[in-house]
Amino acid sequence: MGRYRNPILPGCHPDPSICRFGDRYVLVTSSFEYLPGLPVHVSDDLVNWTLAGHALHRPGQIDLSGLTSSSGTYAPTVREVNGRLVVVCTVVGPEEGEWAGRTGHFLVTASAPEGPWSDPVWIDGVGGFDPSITVDGDRVWLCGTREAVEGYWPGRTEVWVAELDIATGALGSEPVVIWTGAAVGAVWAEGPHLLPHPDGGWMLLVAEGGTDLEHAVCVAYADRIDGPYTPDAGNPRLSHRDLGPVAPIVAVGHADLVEDGDGRSWATVLALHPVDGRRGILGRRTSLVPVAWADGRPLFAPGVGRVEAVVTAEGVPDQRPWPTRIEEHFAGELLDLEWNGAGRLPEEFASWGADGLLLPGGAEPSSTAGVSFLGRRLPDENSDVSLRVRIAAQDDAFRAGILLRVSDAQQLELSVTGAGEAIAVLAGAEIGRLSLGGDALGDELELTLRIRDLTARVFVGEEELASCELDVLAPRPPRGFIGAWVGPVAVGSGQARITRFTLSAG
């Protein structure tokens, strides 16, 4: 009997998918426009997780440059196929206009969670999003969701299945529609998974209601993998939609199942965690619930029927606490795995070594390409973030500092300029300015964000420059799919050197 807390990963980790691989569990989540992308976590016990690597981790694998926020890699699924890990995912591009990259479904494979992962194998012949794969003996099946051809009502979607050749990405059969919703009026079937049922046959696990307050987990059953499927009479099998927007945990859905070594079943799900009844800035996060079976039907969080913030359950140990302080000097040959770039890999725009992080200036943070931002997930809405930055006397318009980024439009920036000023900008509006004097440009300056729930105070050294409410940064539907990243940023013609970054959480 062990005790663990939800979420099981710090910071924004949406759309979790889980499988067993040997004696370990592997968990992969969405990362949208960030690279390296599709973080791969591993665990021996389901509640203590380590970031092993990323399924998209090197130049040439995939092009996400120029994408707006909440585009990019959607809802991966991870499975073991013939002794290898396979991650299948979708790249979603802009809804309007042209984009140079490729969209659609792809898969990558590896012999270990740490990688290296293969180049993408693209899957043509079927559209939609949120693909999943299922092994049925010697056959592999691909399922996914798409907007219904004959919609009947707005947001009506359907789940399809087709046989798949893993090696080539070719479909071995025409897609067959197996699900059009748990009820008349049901919208946005997402994250479908076809799983072997413990009593034989197959079970469809699917999210519905949209990835917000109406989110829910629905189930259906079939004798054959390609249907027909009978909905569970008790759908939805798990949801917090009846609790309202101010519950401690809301928007529960997007479940995946895994069986542990003792035959117990567990589900990963995503959820939002409001702050004092308001939307937080961390976005959708990954939780874990035990699953029991009664009359062949899954019971998520049996006896409770809710995702709880603290869970005591058989089959897991006590969860270890997350690190509460991170200190980074960027002095190693390899960059910590938690660091990401927006639309490009960190090594494509930054360098690091004995003298710290050298960050050349890039595009405005509100741009969709060429932003010089090195970020990592904000782990907690109560965090202190600081860095030491030095910029030489250069272009007055150059600036460098800390960026708290939820999207290309929702940001808090605290920077020092080449003109010797410190500025604070929230969602495009200046909220503070301070003259430091020209002599300050040769010095190492300490910049700090102190975040408490949804309020931030910004400091240059010991002097408070501004304070603000962060509600405006909270991700919201219909396309607010991702939460807060934080880290160094540089803008314009010039370069900055970062010698220390610290993050204290909780």
Side-chain angles (χ1 to χ4, degrees):
M1 188 76 71
R3 191 169 181 265
Y4 67 91
R5 66 190 175 280
N6 281 317
I8 55 173
L9 297 175
C12 175
H13 286 94
D15 309 326
S17 178
I18 190 170
C19 75
R20 283 187 68 192
F21 187 68
D23 294 331
R24 294 193 290 176
Y25 303 94
V26 179
L27 177 66
V28 180
T29 52
S30 296
S31 51
F32 296 94
E33 70 265 31
Y34 287 103
L35 288 172
L38 303 182
V40 181
H41 285 81
V42 297
S43 175
D44 297 324
D45 57 25
L46 288 168
V47 296
N48 296 294
W49 293 89
T50 301
L51 180 58
H54 295 80
L56 301 174
H57 58 87
R58 66 176 181 275
Q61 268 185 302
I62 209 153
D63 181 8
L64 301 182
S65 60
L67 287 177
T68 57
S69 296
S70 292
S71 299
T73 52
Y74 274 43
T77 295
V78 60
R79 296 289 185 261
E80 179 183 354
V81 181
N82 298 326
R84 288 182 65 84
L85 286 168
V86 178
V87 169
V88 61
C89 190
T90 308
V91 175
V92 175
E95 295 180 354
E96 297 180 354
E98 296 183 356
W99 176 61
R102 180 168 182 177
T103 60
H105 306 309
F106 69 92
L107 66 88
V108 290
T109 67
S111 59
E114 295 78 6
W117 290 79
S118 70
D119 287 337
V121 175
W122 291 92
I123 302 168
D124 296 320
V126 65
F129 49 94
D130 292 14
S132 179
I133 54 174
T134 303
V135 178
D136 178 19
D138 295 331
R139 306 168 77 182
V140 176
W141 296 82
L142 177 75
C143 76
T145 187
R146 64 191 180 195
E147 290 191 66
V149 176
E150 297 181 1
Y152 299 112
W153 57 83
R156 183 173 183 253
T157 46
E158 55 192 25
V159 176
W160 49 264
V161 63
E163 197 166 355
L164 177 69
D165 184 331
I166 289 287
T168 66
L171 299 183
S173 63
E174 288 294 316
V176 175
V177 174
I178 58 172
W179 182 257
T180 56
V184 174
V187 296
W188 298 117
E190 298 172 280
H193 298 298
L194 293 173
L195 303 163
H197 192 281
D199 297 334
W202 297 91
M203 182 173 72
L204 170 65
L205 193 64
V206 63
E208 283 193 1
T211 184
D212 199 59
L213 298 181
E214 298 301 311
H215 217 187
V217 178
C218 295
V219 177
Y221 313 96
D223 294 329
R224 292 167 44 94
I225 196 167
D226 55 355
Y229 280 80
T230 301
D232 191 295
N235 279 329
R237 301 298 295 171
L238 177 67
S239 182
H240 287 206
R241 58 170 58 157
D242 56 316
L243 299 183
V246 298
I249 300 175
V250 300
V252 170
H254 207 105
D256 198 6
L257 286 186
V258 69
E259 187 175 288
D260 68 20
D262 296 318
R264 301 183 186 89
S265 296
W266 301 83
T268 52
V269 296
L270 65 78
L272 294 173
H273 298 254
V275 177
D276 296 330
R278 298 176 291 168
R279 285 180 179 267
I281 61 173
L282 301 187
R284 301 173 301 157
R285 310 177 70 187
T286 291
S287 288
L288 179 78
V289 295
V291 179
W293 298 86
D295 300 323
R297 304 164 71 189
L299 302 175
F300 295 87
V304 179
R306 301 294 187 193
V307 179
E308 297 181 295
V310 178
V311 180
T312 301
E314 293 185 357
V316 294
D318 287 337
Q319 187 183 47
R320 297 186 296 270
W322 298 329
T324 56
R325 178 178 166 82
I326 299 160
E327 184 167 329
E328 174 72 84
H329 295 272
F330 305 102
E333 181 179 346
L334 299 176
L335 194 64
D336 186 272
L337 290 172
E338 294 285 357
W339 291 107
N340 305 127
R344 53 182 180 161
L345 293 160
E347 55 264 35
E348 295 182 79
F349 62 92
S351 59
W352 47 89
D355 296 326
L357 174 71
L358 186 63
L359 196 60
E364 287 289 333
S366 58
S367 302
T368 58
V371 177
S372 190
F373 169 61
L374 185 68
R376 60 192 299 150
R377 290 164 181 82
L378 187 72
D380 194 279
E381 270 131 342
N382 290 284
S383 295
D384 290 343
V385 185
S386 67
L387 59 77
R388 291 179 180 171
V389 57
R390 178 184 286 117
I391 64 174
Q394 50 197 302
D395 190 315
D396 286 358
F398 175 76
R399 65 185 194 269
I402 303 175
L403 185 69
L404 178 66
R405 181 185 192 273
V406 174
S407 73
D408 41 35
Q410 298 162 288
Q411 304 168 359
L412 172 62
E413 180 187 343
L414 171 60
S415 292
V416 177
T417 74
E421 293 182 310
I423 60 171
V425 178
L426 176 68
E430 185 177 307
I431 59 172
R433 182 178 291 261
L434 175 68
S435 177
L436 303 173
D439 293 341
L441 293 181
D443 297 335
E444 194 170 65
L445 300 172
E446 182 110 10
L447 307 181
T448 301
L449 303 181
R450 292 179 183 167
I451 302 167
R452 296 294 180 270
D453 294 328
L454 290 177
T455 300
R457 300 166 65 195
V458 300
F459 294 82
V460 180
E462 297 299 320
E463 185 164 357
E464 184 170 353
L465 179 59
S467 64
C468 60
E469 295 295 316
L470 298 178
D471 303 62
V472 67
L473 303 188
R476 287 177 170 83
R479 285 294 294 272
F481 293 146
I482 200 157
W485 264 243
V486 68
V489 66
V491 185
S493 178
Q495 61 184 21
R497 189 170 296 278
I498 314 297
T499 58
R500 191 186 73 177
F501 173 91
T502 61
L503 194 161
S504 300

